[in-house]
Amino acid sequence: QAQLTESGGGLVQAGDSLRLSCTASGGTFSSMHMGWFRQAPGKEREFVATISRFGVTTLYADSAEGRFTISRDNAKKSVYLQMSGLKPEDTAIYYCAAKLRPGVSTLAEDYDYWGQGTQVTVSL
């Protein structure tokens, strides 16, 4: 059983950068594909980015492509989301998730463990 803890959220201005972190405890981190999702008020949870077990494969939502970078450090059992050029529409709770079965996925239902989320608010 893995537990995921996100950190790094906050209130920033449009155009700023922010780095989210997610640290895992329990389980074998290097066996987990990791993903970032977000949920804005009144909206469904949506995919942001995912990274394969050893970082070979990354996928991004169109909204994140070119602005966000997902990375991981298996020695630190951590995954990161570097966000730049933030926009007000990026405001959401950001969740870290772990997937145990083979293959990366953009679907929330494919993930087995979730963190509690970290709030990101982008003001004009």
Side-chain angles (χ1 to χ4, degrees):
Q1 182 105 12
Q3 293 184 328
L4 306 175
T5 303
E6 302 97 334
S7 61
L11 173 62
V12 297
Q13 293 186 326
D16 283 353
S17 297
L18 204 58
R19 187 195 196 206
L20 305 183
S21 299
C22 170
T23 301
S25 61
T28 303
F29 186 72
S30 59
S31 69
M32 305 174 190
H33 301 295
M34 300 300 296
W36 285 98
F37 291 77
R38 67 186 183 186
Q39 187 166 18
K43 295 187 176 181
E44 293 187 352
R45 190 170 299 190
E46 65 175 6
F47 166 75
V48 176
T50 184
I51 187 167
S52 59
R53 294 166 177 167
F54 296 101
V56 174
T57 301
T58 57
L59 296 174
Y60 296 91
D62 289 344
S63 59
E65 188 76 56
R67 298 189 301 128
F68 295 2
T69 301
I70 189 171
S71 61
R72 66 188 294 161
D73 185 335
N74 286 351
K76 295 183 178 179
K77 298 184 178 182
S78 294
V79 61
Y80 309 98
L81 186 68
Q82 178 68 48
M83 304 185 292
S84 61
L86 283 163
K87 306 174 183 179
E89 51 264 44
D90 294 319
T91 295
I93 299 175
Y94 283 71
Y95 297 91
C96 169
K99 179 180 183 291
L100 301 181
R101 285 157 288 180
V104 294
S105 173
T106 64
L107 303 176
E109 56 264 36
D110 288 342
Y111 287 77
D112 301 287
Y113 301 110
W114 293 82
Q116 82 289 346
T118 186
Q119 177 71 48
V120 172
T121 303
V122 184
S123 64
L124 287 170

